Amino acid sequence: MQLSNSSQYAIRILAYMADNKDSKLLNATELAKTLYIPYKFLTKIMTELVKSGLVVSIRGRDGGYKFEKKTSEIMVSDILAIFNDSIKNEQCVLGIGFCNGLCKCALHDQWIEPKHLLQKMFQESSLEDIAGKGCKI
Amino acid sequence: MQLSNSSQYAIRILAYMADNKDSKLLNATELAKTLYIPYKFLTKIMTELVKSGLVVSIRGRDGGYKFEKKTSEIMVSDILAIFNDSIKNEQCVLGIGFCNGLCKCALHDQWIEPKHLLQKMFQESSLEDIAGKGCKI
DNA sequence: AATTAATTCTACCTTTAAGTAGTATTTATA
DNA sequence: TATAAATACTACTTAAAGGTAGAATTAATT
Ligand code: SF4
Ligand code: SF4
């Protein structure tokens, strides 16, 4: 019951970038050291973030990454979507296919509320919202 | 962001057993067929449930499984604990070590509420509570 | 005592997530 | 133009989850 490493890393990376979006560019070496994320894994994640259009990369010497969109327009749920970690409305807590709203599983009634709160947390939190809020990075 | 297959299966199995606890014993073959769970995987899970003291097994011909404790005394969180799927209080949504309550991560404030609801759902739902509540099994 | 039908044990296989290695490409600067 | 420092690409390895196979054990019935 937790996010994949990729999603956790991506959120931490982007939250840190949002914290420091005044600095012109941030490069992979610095991000990996600062955030204690394996360098090679981080670059793999960054490339996916670039392909998804959340950040742009500047290649070559003095290159690095910066945001493509405004941090107020990037929601945490956008990040999760990239790694197939979104909380979908029809997602069953017991993994029984899709919910049709009629035939419930045993835990359905208890699941609705936390599911909505999780969706709300991810869908309504922008990078701007969460930037600078943590001392842990 | 979802429970392991083992946990999902175990909850479904025990919820079904709670639905049918009038019937003397339920055996692995029947459970596997009814719940569409791979037989060999189901028996592996059942053995863990036996070792954990939630159910007792009767070996040999006409054997099967039945509850060891009252269904009102088995909480869903007890099941999750067996498969290391519990929502722990210090569990960080971003996977940054343990929460000391002082140094927060970027999503901490948004995470507290859904985390508590998830814990509540698992800790306060007994098998008796959820038995017979679902048409999906 | 033999048979049958059940659980349990040990070991293995498969798939997916996580992480690593090496090379190619790009670009600023001396 | 050569060099250095950065991202991107391809491929591989490792670890964990998910699942399977087969034999051993247990116990009721004949
Ligand atoms: S009704 Fe049950 S099966 Fe459907 S989404 Fe809710 S929890 Fe899942
Ligand atoms: S403060 Fe942050 S690190 Fe600590 S538990 Fe909450 S979310 Fe996790």
Side-chain angles (χ1 to χ4, degrees):
Chain A
M1 201 72 183
Q2 60 176 22
L3 298 172
S4 66
N5 281 12
S6 294
S7 287
Q8 293 181 335
Y9 286 157
I11 294 170
R12 288 176 52 215
I13 292 164
L14 294 172
Y16 177 79
M17 287 178 63
D19 282 353
N20 297 75
K21 71 166 183 287
D22 44 323
S23 67
K24 211 53 185 168
L25 286 178
L26 292 169
N27 66 50
T29 306
E30 180 189 341
L31 289 171
K33 271 187 190 144
T34 309
L35 301 168
Y36 301 100
I37 297 172
Y39 172 80
K40 281 290 197 179
F41 198 17
L42 182 135
T43 58
K44 186 187 264 187
I45 289 170
M46 292 313 291
T47 301
E48 296 191 69
L49 296 180
V50 169
K51 285 181 179 164
S52 305
L54 266 53
V55 306
V56 293
S57 62
I58 312 295
R59 297 180 65 164
R61 183 167 167 173
D62 296 341
Y65 304 96
K66 66 179 178 185
F67 284 107
E68 166 84 331
K69 302 156 69 171
K70 282 196 277 185
T71 54
S72 60
E73 289 169 352
I74 300 178
M75 300 295 161
V76 174
S77 54
D78 298 330
I79 305 166
L80 300 188
I82 297 168
F83 303 97
N84 285 312
D85 246 337
S86 303
I87 310 278
K88 296 182 190 63
N89 214 30
E90 64 272 18
Q91 179 178 327
C92 179
V93 68
L94 298 185
I96 315 175
F98 297 116
C99 184
N100 59 13
L102 295 172
C103 182
K104 302 178 177 182
C105 72
L107 264 177
H108 175 82
D109 294 341
Q110 289 87 343
W111 170 234
I112 293 303
E113 220 188 326
K115 181 178 68 175
H116 281 159
L117 267 189
L118 288 168
Q119 291 179 313
K120 187 175 149 76
M121 140 165 104
F122 292 138
Q123 289 169 3
E124 298 183 3
S125 300
S126 73
L127 287 179
E128 184 177 62
D129 294 333
I130 69 174
K133 291 290 162 47
C135 87
K136 275 190 189 170
I137 54 177
Chain B
M1 201 73 183
Q2 60 175 20
L3 297 173
S4 66
N5 281 11
S6 294
S7 286
Q8 293 182 335
Y9 286 159
I11 295 170
R12 289 176 51 216
I13 292 164
L14 293 172
Y16 178 78
M17 286 177 63
D19 281 354
N20 297 75
K21 70 167 186 288
D22 44 324
S23 68
K24 212 54 186 167
L25 286 177
L26 292 169
N27 66 50
T29 306
E30 180 188 341
L31 288 172
K33 272 189 191 144
T34 307
L35 300 169
Y36 300 99
I37 298 172
Y39 172 80
K40 282 290 197 178
F41 198 17
L42 181 135
T43 58
K44 186 188 264 186
I45 290 171
M46 292 313 292
T47 301
E48 294 191 72
L49 297 180
V50 169
K51 284 180 179 163
S52 306
L54 266 53
V55 306
V56 292
S57 62
I58 312 296
R59 296 180 65 164
R61 182 166 168 172
D62 296 343
Y65 303 96
K66 65 179 179 183
F67 285 108
E68 166 85 331
K69 301 156 68 171
K70 282 195 276 185
T71 54
S72 61
E73 290 169 351
I74 299 178
M75 299 296 160
V76 173
S77 55
D78 299 329
I79 304 166
L80 299 188
I82 297 168
F83 303 97
N84 285 313
D85 245 337
S86 302
I87 311 279
K88 296 183 191 61
N89 214 31
E90 64 272 18
Q91 179 177 327
C92 180
V93 67
L94 297 185
I96 315 175
F98 297 115
C99 181
N100 59 14
L102 295 171
C103 181
K104 302 179 179 182
C105 72
L107 264 177
H108 175 81
D109 294 341
Q110 289 86 342
W111 169 236
I112 292 302
E113 219 188 326
K115 181 178 70 175
H116 281 159
L117 267 190
L118 288 169
Q119 291 178 313
K120 187 176 149 74
M121 140 164 101
F122 292 138
Q123 289 169 3
E124 298 183 2
S125 300
S126 72
L127 287 179
E128 184 177 62
D129 294 335
I130 69 176
K133 292 290 160 51
C135 87
K136 274 191 189 169
I137 56 178

